[in-house]
Each structure stands twice: as C-alpha cells, then as structure tokens.
Amino acid sequence: MRLGAVPLDKGVIKAIFLVCLADGIVGLSYGSLAVADGFPLWVPMALSTLVLAGASEFLFIGIVAGGGSPFTAAAAGLLVNARHLPFGIAVKDLVGQGGRALFGCHIMNDESVVFGISQPKLAQRRAAYWICGLGIFAIWPLSVISGAVIGRFIPDVSVIGLDAVFPAILIALIFPALRQRRTRIPASLGALLSVLATPFVPAGMPVLFSLLGLLSWRERK
C-alpha cells in the first residue's frame, strides 16, 4: 500500500488497522461506562475529540464519578499525559510544521508514536505516524458515541475482558523487537519498574516510571 509515493509494508497497515480496531473496542467500553456513571453524552464526546487520550479520559470520569473535583480530575489527566513530552521529542520530525504541526501533535498518542518511530525510513515513519494517528482520531469518537448509545447491552468489561484487548495487541506488536538485546534490556527493566510502581501511584502513572528503563542502555562506540 502507498501513501502518496511512500510505500508501506502490508503488515504495517494491517497492524495499524488492528490497533485502531482495538481502540474502537476500548472506546465502546469508555462510552458505556461514562453514561453508566451518570455523565451526559456531551462529556465523553468532548473529551474524546478535544483530549483524545484514553487513559486520561478514563481517569477523569473515574475521579469525578467517585466524588472528586473536575479540576482535580483534569490535573490528574495532565499528569498522566506528561509522557507526551518525551513522545513529542521522539516524533518532532514526523508531525510537520506550522499549522499542520498543531494537528500532528493533537493526534499524537502511544500507538501513533510506536508505529512512527519503528519504521526504517523517515518517509515511512511519517506515513505510519499519520495513518495511525488519523485512524484513531476518526474511530475513537465514533466508538465512544456507539458505546454510549448501546452501553446498556454491554456487560461489565472486566468480566468479558474488553479492557485487556488493547494491551494484548500492543504486546503482540512489540514482541518481535524483543529479540534484539538493545530493546529487550530497557523494555524489561521498564516493565519491572512500572509493575513495582503500580501499587503506589495513580492509574496511568506507572508508564512514566517505565521510561527510566531507557537509562539502562548506552550506545557502544
């Protein structure tokens, strides 16, 4: 498949499609949970289009539904999204320039960053980043609306495992890269730090500790 004159491997396109599909499934659960917690439809809709960050959105409705202040929930969401700062540095050459860069930053998420930085050539990295980012930008709000509408027919996501679909797909995508020692060591340490931090920090924060795993590798000259 080609994006303009840029060839992308069919496997990459398929993987992006599967990740967007997984995001859509998570969006269904998010929309249904938000409405079940008493939020009007416009709240998850506004969050899904303006924030476009699933972890922060789940955290926001969880805090407010539990009796917390919306300002506290917003601050917690910003803290969770602090990982976008190193993400932005990693994809600074992929988001474009000028007005396009603003939109390019808006569609930046874990998935688009993973696909963007994993391609061998700059043009392919840009194509993968934008295809994934635009795909999620389209499917996330639509799935949230659908989840809110048909939410009463969706069982508890923790019972049927919908909440595990997305991380399972991401693990499958990165598994081949773990064959390389320079990837396996930082990833393993980052995963360990994230697990150790989980009981002590709010949801979404352990991923920030996993970034410390990058300090375990230095390029040999």
Side-chain angles (χ1 to χ4, degrees):
M1 180 176 179
R2 292 175 177 268
L3 181 66
V6 180
L8 282 177
D9 185 80
K10 291 182 179 179
V12 175
I13 298 297
K14 181 179 179 180
I16 291 175
F17 172 78
L18 290 175
V19 165
C20 289
L21 180 61
D23 265 19
I25 295 175
V26 176
L28 288 174
S29 66
Y30 167 59
S32 62
L33 287 173
V35 172
D37 285 335
F39 289 93
L41 179 59
W42 70 265
V43 173
M45 271 305 304
L47 292 174
S48 64
T49 54
L50 300 177
V51 178
L52 198 62
S56 296
E57 295 175 48
F58 272 104
L59 183 61
F60 181 89
I61 65 171
I63 291 176
V64 175
S69 164
F71 297 102
T72 301
L78 287 174
L79 187 59
V80 169
N81 274 356
R83 68 186 187 279
H84 284 198
L85 294 176
F87 284 177
I89 296 174
V91 299
K92 62 183 177 65
D93 295 329
L94 310 182
V95 298
Q97 298 179 346
R100 182 182 180 186
L102 295 176
F103 184 66
C105 290
H106 183 58
I107 63 173
M108 180 176 63
N109 48 56
D110 298 7
E111 304 90 304
S112 61
V113 170
V114 167
F115 281 107
I117 65 177
S118 64
Q119 305 309 308
K121 298 180 180 180
L122 177 59
Q124 292 174 325
R125 290 197 292 271
R126 285 177 177 162
Y129 175 85
W130 278 89
I131 290 175
C132 184
L134 290 172
I136 292 174
F137 178 74
I139 198 171
W140 181 252
L142 291 175
S143 63
V144 170
I145 295 176
S146 300
V149 172
I150 65 174
R152 62 184 182 276
F153 302 113
I154 300 179
D156 185 349
V157 294
S158 64
V159 173
I160 63 177
L162 284 180
D163 54 337
V165 172
F166 179 56
I169 289 180
L170 279 184
I171 290 175
L173 289 174
I174 68 170
F175 219 78
L178 296 179
R179 297 172 183 169
Q180 300 179 16
R181 188 168 177 265
R182 62 172 298 171
T183 303
R184 184 170 61 252
I185 293 177
S188 300
L189 179 60
L192 177 62
L193 292 173
S194 182
V195 170
L196 292 176
T198 297
F200 307 104
V201 298
M205 287 295 294
V207 67
L208 297 179
F209 289 86
S210 69
L211 294 175
L212 296 175
L214 296 174
L215 300 177
S216 66
W217 184 268
R218 292 289 184 272
E219 193 72 40
R220 274 67 172 177
K221 296 183 179 181

